[in-house]
Amino acid sequence: MAILKALVVDDASFVRDLVKRTVRQRFPVIETTDAQNGRRAQSLMSRTSFDLVLCDWEMPEMSGLELLQWMRQQPQYQKVPFIMITSRGDKDHVIEAVKEGVSEYLGKPFSPDGLSKKIIKVMGRRLKDAMDRSGKSLEGPAEAFKESAALLTQKREAPASRPEASKPEPVADNPLLNAGSAKAATGKPQTRGVMSMASVRFSDSTLKSVVKDINLTEVRVIAKRDQEFPGILDQAVVDIDMGDGQMARLNGYVHQLQAVDKRQDTDFVSVTIRFVDEDPKKLEDLSRFVARFRASNR
């Protein structure tokens, strides 16, 4: 029987399902409710009391940061753990979230173990006692429990060890961009001017690749075979250079993996990522990139 209540907030149903499944499997004493954006979450939190909030940053109507700011102004939620789960992992955003009272920060894509460790860390003794009363064992590293609510007791600044968001490696340094590789990967010679780079992040690796095709539903990238590849349905965050110093971070999952050609020793693999974001701003950015990509590849 569930003893604690958690609210899962994300505009992508695929991500909400992943979070809820992990919580259900690892912590059966936690009952989960979900919301598709901050506004809906605010409404639920006004009617029901929650012991934990796991929330995305970028969402339509009300962002995760705005929800956090509202939450910390409510007496009943001032000390309730809030875990920000987002693809925005750069130092400035981490600092901003910490200043607003975030309990922990988890980057997308995340692993079940990574999410579990964060939950143990922020819930501390309360979760352990609930699991003990239910006769269940608390999974996860012992040190995660000992560090319970560490961010709330530490100095309000981002740790220097936090990794920044992945960035596509420079054009000149990427082996995919030499003429021979471009021809092998795409079936026809291409110039550097039409090549669009993308870093595809997974829970424990990053795939450097070239965008072969893209639309509002999915992106197909070509990557060298000597890298670490994901599995089908693995979470992914696609970082695309939009130009003018802007980076689009699109959430999705691996839909297809296949060799670029029929040779068993092919050097390149095609990876198709299906997008799951429903944020209008992200879709607008994606639309602009798709239009520019198609215009440059006519």
Side-chain angles (χ1 to χ4, degrees):
M1 179 179 177
I3 301 172
L4 304 171
K5 293 184 178 181
L7 180 60
V8 180
V9 192
D10 199 296
D11 64 311
S13 59
F14 177 79
V15 177
R16 295 199 304 271
D17 289 344
L18 284 172
V19 174
K20 289 191 297 181
R21 182 165 64 247
T22 298
V23 172
R24 184 170 59 248
Q25 292 174 345
R26 303 292 179 94
F27 312 109
V29 296
I30 301 179
E31 175 186 287
T32 58
T33 303
D34 64 303
Q36 67 270 35
N37 58 54
R39 188 71 65 195
R40 174 60 179 164
Q42 187 182 55
S43 175
L44 290 171
M45 292 170 71
S46 297
R47 302 196 306 265
T48 305
S49 179
F50 291 96
D51 305 291
L52 171 67
V53 177
L54 305 115
C55 185
D56 186 25
W57 185 306
E58 297 174 296
M59 298 177 293
E61 297 192 42
M62 178 184 278
S63 70
L65 187 66
E66 291 170 328
L67 179 64
L68 175 60
Q69 292 168 335
W70 170 84
M71 180 175 163
R72 292 308 185 215
Q73 294 173 3
Q74 313 307 309
Q76 71 273 31
Y77 286 118
Q78 286 181 353
K79 295 185 179 180
V80 170
F82 186 109
I83 299 177
M84 190 78 82
I85 305 175
T86 174
S87 56
R88 302 182 72 162
D90 52 284
K91 186 176 181 180
D92 289 344
H93 286 99
V94 173
I95 292 175
E96 188 175 7
V98 169
K99 286 180 177 178
E100 296 298 338
V102 76
S103 306
E104 260 296 347
Y105 204 98
L106 180 63
K108 292 179 181 177
F110 57 87
S111 66
D113 285 342
L115 176 58
S116 298
K117 182 177 178 179
K118 297 291 186 182
I119 293 174
I120 293 171
K121 187 173 179 180
V122 301
M123 296 295 288
R125 175 65 61 181
R126 191 176 184 191
L127 176 59
K128 185 178 186 303
D129 289 345
M131 294 288 281
D132 288 344
R133 289 198 301 272
S134 69
K136 304 291 184 180
S137 61
L138 185 60
E139 297 183 24
E143 60 269 20
F145 168 68
K146 293 178 182 178
E147 294 171 357
S148 173
L151 276 181
L152 292 178
T153 59
Q154 292 175 351
K155 186 178 179 181
R156 292 297 195 189
E157 61 181 13
S161 61
R162 283 192 183 273
E164 295 193 10
S166 301
K167 297 179 181 179
E169 63 185 66
V171 168
D173 300 331
N174 196 298
L176 281 171
L177 293 182
N178 64 62
S181 295
K183 183 174 181 179
T186 62
K188 59 181 180 181
Q190 294 191 16
T191 62
R192 294 190 178 196
V194 299
M195 301 289 274
S196 296
M197 302 305 302
S199 288
V200 187
R201 286 185 279 136
F202 305 99
S203 61
D204 53 5
S205 64
T206 298
L207 196 67
K208 301 298 182 180
S209 60
V210 170
V211 177
K212 173 61 176 173
D213 194 19
I214 187 169
N215 55 46
L216 295 179
T217 304
E218 63 186 26
V219 61
R220 184 160 68 93
V221 301
I222 305 296
K224 290 201 71 175
R225 184 182 175 184
D226 59 3
Q227 303 181 74
E228 183 176 349
F229 281 82
I232 299 297
L233 298 182
D234 278 3
Q235 296 177 77
V237 173
V238 184
D239 294 327
I240 299 178
D241 188 353
M242 300 290 291
D244 300 325
Q246 297 185 13
M247 186 74 68
R249 296 181 175 89
L250 302 161
N251 297 294
Y253 64 92
V254 179
H255 176 68
Q256 185 179 61
L257 290 168
Q258 74 179 88
V260 168
D261 55 48
K262 296 180 179 179
R263 295 182 298 110
Q264 186 177 7
D265 61 347
T266 181
D267 292 327
F268 296 92
V269 175
S270 169
V271 184
T272 300
I273 306 294
R274 282 275 173 90
F275 299 130
V276 299
D277 288 304
E278 298 177 14
D279 186 337
K281 177 62 170 62
K282 286 193 174 185
L283 293 177
E284 180 183 343
D285 290 342
L286 179 58
S287 297
R288 287 191 289 107
F289 179 82
V290 170
R292 192 182 73 189
F293 178 86
R294 295 191 182 284
S296 65
N297 285 277
R298 287 175 180 169

